[in-house]
Amino acid sequence: MASAVSGLDAATRAGYEPVIGLEVHVQLNTRSKAFCGCSTTFGAPPNSQTCPVCLGLPGAMPVLNREAVVKAARTALALGCQLRERSIFARKNYFYPDLPKGYQISQYDRPLAEEGGLEIPAAAGNPARRIGITRIHLEEDAGKSLHEGFADSERFSYVDLNRSGVPLIEIVSEPDLRAPAEAHAYLSRLKQILLFLDVSDCNMEEGSLRCDANVSVRRRDDPKFGAKIEIKNLNSFRYLQQALEYEIERQIETLENGGRLRQETRLYDAASGRTHPMRSKEQAHDYRYFPEPDLPPLIVDAAWREEVAASLPELPAARQRRWQSAWGLTAYDAEVLTGTPAQAEYFEAAAKASENPKVTANWIMGELSARLNAQGLDWNRVPMPPGHVAELVRILDAGTISGKMAKEVFEQAWKTGRSPRQIVEESGARQITDPAAIDAILDGVLAAHPTQVEQYKKGKVALLAFLVGQVMKASRGQANPELAQARIKARLD
Amino acid sequence: MSDTYPATIAAIRAGLAQGEFTARALAGHYYERIAATEAPAAPAANAWLTLCRERAEVQADRVDALARQGQPLPPLAGLPLAVKDVISMRGVRTTCGSRMLEHYIAPYDATVIEKLETAGALLLGKVNCDEFAMGSSTENSAFGPTRNPRDPSRVPGGSSGGSAAVVANGSALAALGSDTGGSIRQPAAFCGVVGLLPTYGRVSRYGLVAFGSSLDHIGPLTRSVDDAARLLGVLAGPDPRDATCADVPVPDYAAQLAALPAGFRIGVVKEAWGGGLDSQVEATVRRALDRLAGAGCDIVEVSLPHLHASIATYYIVATAEASANLARFDGVRYGLRAEAESLGEMYRKTREAGFGAEVKRRILLGTYVLSSGYYDAYYRKAQLARALLARDLDRAFAQADLLVTPTTPGTAFKIGERISNPLEMYLADIYTVPADLAGIPAISVPCGEAAGLPVGLQFMGRHFDETRVLQAARLWESLHTPPA
């Protein structure tokens, strides 16, 4: 058995094709839980957000949260899925201390949505294409077992049921991904869409976005899939990619060494970067799914479906296309600016107000991003309103100030929160664009530097930049540099 | 004031309103009666598991205050009522007749409990039942069998045996029971009282500890049809906490009791005769049918061709659901917890010690029928059979307004007589199980005796047609017990 990623040569590796599918669990950002009225706020004291329903007390019954259905349906439509008019909740039976009822309310053979897909960009030498989505179903989260951090953790585990009953959707992809980088691209596209839909925080550290992967390898000429290995515990984009890379190598190496792979579930250990066996197919749970008798079938009729469809926001791909065709942004800029919904909204507002989207994009991706990064701020908490960026772009476009001055004005606006127009007007820092005024400054510069003027006249044209610099210095940066250069040439050439 | 109090809901309410007695005194009377019936010499009925006298007296004082102020009294004012111990009452032990929950104090009220207290009822305490409502004799209670007031050597039926016994022995005027396969109607028949199964979705299940969720119902056991109608009027109606509870208007059942139209068609189920039916029970029921015909009812014969499949169907569906419903009793959060070194061992030891034999049998059966590879052969097939039975009933209701059968094939049996033969006990559910499987309303009313023991007559109606079920029962009651 392979124990570490070793030196498979490139040709051997190229002889195999990895086949990957992802199962992504997304915590919906509803105010209350899926089947009771308890709050879903993260980080509350243990078991403070519980009631008879999510504690699984005898006699308590679930009632479906309509907001959870709307968010699940919104996701399904955004991912091009067919919404089932009549879907069925099912009980998934297994014993675990953080599962208070001894079953999870989920969906099984009649899920909310099926047959969708998601465009991913070109990755790992594969072209951009559509990755199929098999199904999306609605279910409830379990609580959390706490094995550490208590004085008696040696002997006892504790259970926090605040998370018990928080609504989840599970999004299952087709086995269409062919490389770890593609899996990464798929998950990141998916996350972006979920954020734009405002259905989840997608915070992998807090567990509101979780990913399991199914991966197998096959010889390139083999039409059949290999034995499917499920990897659990992929709690970051990096771990997803690393675990897949490790696992693909391990599988190829096993086969190359004459070994056989069998269907099993493995756990990723981030510390060692390896996957470890968790349970074999024979040890797999028999979940004994059956229809949940406490909940009637979930009916999403045409009217409700239309209502959800009408509420869908413009998704990142559509925004990117619009910005490219209507505003002339590059594909790269459009991609960067749709990084998060807040960033896209910020840019959209600034670009509309400035009427110069391309220059606005540069300021936002350049100066503004740099400052946010430096101060650890995100796009939901930008101290400078988009109108100020737009104002700066407009002043710049009018030629009132130079690019260099603009950077200073931006700095002032960032620090003080005042508007760029106000800063420019109050400092008198307006660009000098009157040729007569430039000439007046130039008189002094020429008189002060007779040697350089002489050398320039003899053909040392490189000194033009020196003379422009002197004009800029004498005007405290306010002279229009192009005009200054033109005036020097007119006077000396 | 005499210590004999009126024995109907209407008369108690009227007596309280007129100041003839107080609810507080009435409660006291019933607690004395409880003490008497539970006294070892009697022999003890062993029906009451937990009394909540303080709570009942607070409630009585509230009713008395209203009466003193001359304010209108709520519909069940002063009704001394027993609650089957599978229904949650805040701050009260809810054992489900199980060691598993022997010390479990429920932290919330079931919806029906809230409704009853709002309606002025005095909840005297909790009464015995088969463990988790699984059984037909109350012998499966961890706290010992309840005795039948008509013959203390016999069972009161089950699983709501405590509920039937306390109504029959006069230590409560009415009781709440639950019915999954006959658990209200069968003990009502065995003890000679009225037991009503409402339509599935008519009464909220929120707070009823689940056995078979698609089959579980809460309903009343009473001495008269009028009391059953009044209780149903309070219990029925939608509940935002129970998604299976229907938003269907609640008629004034009690006001319409006497309104049964002439030429009423009562369908006699052909397949109900024969089989294991006791000949004396059959004779008693046939006499009742003759009298109903004499009273102007149109007796027609109907057929339920799939009746024979109902027991197997029921025991697959109910146990499958039970296997999931009882998974929560794992020792982690509440109830019994066995000391153990590992998680798996804790689960095993807790459930080994906490559950009785019948409950274990049903969990095993239910787990089996849902297992991979057996699901289609059992659970799925049972769903199909359930649909066929429902279709049979639809067809029968095209020919008749109500259906009638004996409630049970026999009368109350001796304690211990059948405990070692579960299959025989299961088969005795043949007449009660169809209404649960189809979700239709049904009632058992006393219809005489066989060898000195009470016999029950069952009427079944269409979905949400409790009105006619109650009307027919009232008609029979008036024929059977002419006004004094």
Side-chain angles (χ1 to χ4, degrees), chain B residues 378-389:
Chain B
Y378 296 106
Y379 187 79
R380 193 182 301 280
K381 195 170 271 183
Q383 296 298 342
L384 293 174
R386 192 174 182 178
L388 288 174
L389 185 69

Side-chain angles (χ1 to χ4, degrees), chain A residues 153-173:
Chain A
S153 283
E154 285 289 298
R155 294 173 52 232
F156 294 102
S157 289
Y158 286 76
V159 177
D160 176 7
L161 294 174
N162 281 350
R163 201 179 68 177
S164 163
V166 168
L168 294 177
I169 48 174
E170 181 174 338
I171 303 172
V172 181
S173 87

Side-chain angles (χ1 to χ4, degrees), chain B residues 84-393:
Chain B
K84 184 178 181 181
D85 208 14
V86 288
I87 297 172
S88 265
M89 275 174 76
R90 181 199 293 268
V92 178
R93 211 164 66 115
T94 300
T95 69
C96 298
S98 180
R99 288 278 167 236
M100 187 65 88
L101 295 179
E102 188 172 0
H103 306 293
Y104 168 70
I105 309 284
Y108 73 100
D109 279 331
T111 297
V112 291
I113 297 299
E114 287 180 356
K115 286 186 166 194
L116 287 169
E117 291 199 323
T118 303
L122 316 180
L123 307 185
L124 302 175
K126 309 293 284 292
V127 290
N128 203 9
C129 56
D130 285 299
E131 186 177 8
F132 290 103
M134 297 178 184
S136 312
S137 66
T138 318
E139 292 169 292
N140 295 330
S141 168
F143 309 109
T146 295
R147 296 180 183 278
N148 191 320
R150 297 289 293 265
D151 176 349
S153 70
R154 292 178 186 270
V155 301
S159 65
S160 309
S163 302
V166 297
V167 173
N169 74 18
S171 61
L173 187 58
L176 284 188
S178 70
D179 192 318
T180 305
S183 281
I184 288 174
R185 291 158 290 158
Q186 185 257 21
F190 278 16
C191 292
V193 300
V194 175
L196 174 64
L197 171 82
T199 305
Y200 187 80
R202 175 77 291 182
V203 174
S204 168
R205 292 186 289 125
Y206 186 80
L208 168 65
V209 180
F211 159 19
S213 309
S214 74
L215 299 157
D216 290 343
H217 305 69
I218 291 176
L221 292 96
T222 57
R223 288 213 214 143
S224 67
V225 175
D226 185 78
D227 281 1
R230 285 172 198 274
L231 265 162
L232 182 63
V234 166
L235 298 171
D239 179 8
R241 291 178 292 192
D242 175 359
T244 65
C245 195
D247 190 1
V248 174
V250 179
D252 186 343
Y253 299 110
Q256 298 177 42
L257 270 189
L260 191 68
F264 206 64
R265 291 174 307 161
I266 295 180
V268 177
V269 178
K270 189 171 74 177
E271 291 80 4
W273 307 119
L277 179 60
D278 176 274
S279 60
Q280 291 193 57
V281 171
E282 176 172 348
T284 307
V285 169
R286 285 197 188 273
R287 274 198 301 276
L289 294 178
D290 289 344
R291 291 179 68 184
L292 283 164
C297 292
D298 189 0
I299 308 286
V300 298
E301 191 179 75
V302 297
S303 174
L304 300 178
H306 297 93
L307 182 70
H308 67 278
S310 61
I311 293 292
T313 302
Y314 170 79
Y315 278 94
I316 290 170
V317 175
T319 58
E321 293 177 1
S323 73
N325 283 328
L326 273 64
R328 68 189 63 196
F329 304 108
D330 58 6
V332 173
R333 292 162 308 281
Y334 47 76
L336 186 73
R337 173 192 288 185
E339 286 300 316
E341 292 302 310
S342 71
L343 180 64
E345 190 190 357
M346 184 188 86
Y347 285 155
R348 276 193 303 277
K349 284 187 164 176
T350 298
R351 291 167 71 82
E352 165 72 39
F355 291 140
E358 181 63 22
V359 170
K360 286 175 189 160
R361 181 155 40 235
R362 295 198 191 191
I363 291 173
L364 284 172
L365 191 56
T367 303
Y368 178 79
V369 300
L370 288 175
S371 295
S372 169
Y374 298 97
Y375 183 93
D376 287 347
Y378 296 106
Y379 187 79
R380 193 182 301 280
K381 195 170 271 183
Q383 296 298 342
L384 293 174
R386 192 174 182 178
L388 288 174
L389 185 69
R391 201 182 60 186
D392 285 358
L393 283 162

